[in-house]
Amino acid sequence: MPDPNFIILYVDNPLRSADFYARLLKKPPIQTSPTFAMFALDSGMMLGLWSKHTVEPTATAAGGGGEIAFSVSSRDIVDELFTDWTQHGLVIGQKPAAMDFGHTFLAFDPDGHRLRVFAPTAP
């Protein structure tokens, strides 16, 4: 069985979402069209942004039903990203906090998709 290597988010406006993710990821999309945009992530994962108005078959899920998680190496990086994302106007759903799995915060993209940054708890 192949490993998953592509995440697709259904978005209202792929070009607007591509601008958001280009700023967030600090890299341009490798493909854009009015109905789709795609990013190649350093991890090898691909991130697609597909117009929820043109998905076939029609998608019924809304943003916020899952999370894209960004694992970082330290609590300090979590706090730095929280400050950076807050200064760039991202809507914050959870301020930095200690949870069972590590130090974390949560933000939202323009379509309500959850973006979690965390530094894992040492084993």
Side-chain angles (χ1 to χ4, degrees):
M1 179 73 142
D3 287 334
N5 60 1
F6 206 116
I7 296 170
I8 297 176
L9 300 178
Y10 304 134
V11 298
D12 186 53
N13 182 326
L15 297 178
R16 180 189 70 184
S17 291
D19 287 342
F20 172 86
Y21 279 97
R23 287 190 309 276
L24 184 76
L25 300 170
K26 297 181 174 49
K27 64 173 54 194
I30 61 170
Q31 176 185 348
T32 58
S33 76
T35 62
F36 188 79
M38 183 168 50
F39 289 85
L41 307 179
D42 293 341
S43 65
M45 181 79 74
M46 303 297 280
L47 173 63
L49 307 168
W50 194 352
S51 169
K52 65 183 179 183
H53 309 289
T54 62
V55 170
E56 292 183 25
T58 302
T60 57
E67 296 181 353
I68 295 179
F70 300 81
S71 177
V72 297
S73 60
S74 73
R75 176 187 175 114
D76 289 342
I77 295 173
V78 170
D79 293 338
E80 289 168 14
L81 285 171
F82 172 76
T83 299
D84 182 60
W85 289 15
T86 301
Q87 290 173 347
H88 283 91
L90 273 74
V91 174
I92 301 299
Q94 178 187 30
K95 292 181 180 180
M99 297 188 74
D100 291 347
F101 56 85
H103 187 64
T104 187
F105 77 89
L106 181 91
F108 296 97
D109 79 0
D111 291 279
H113 298 289
R114 296 163 63 109
L115 308 172
R116 180 171 299 281
V117 175
F118 72 102
T121 302

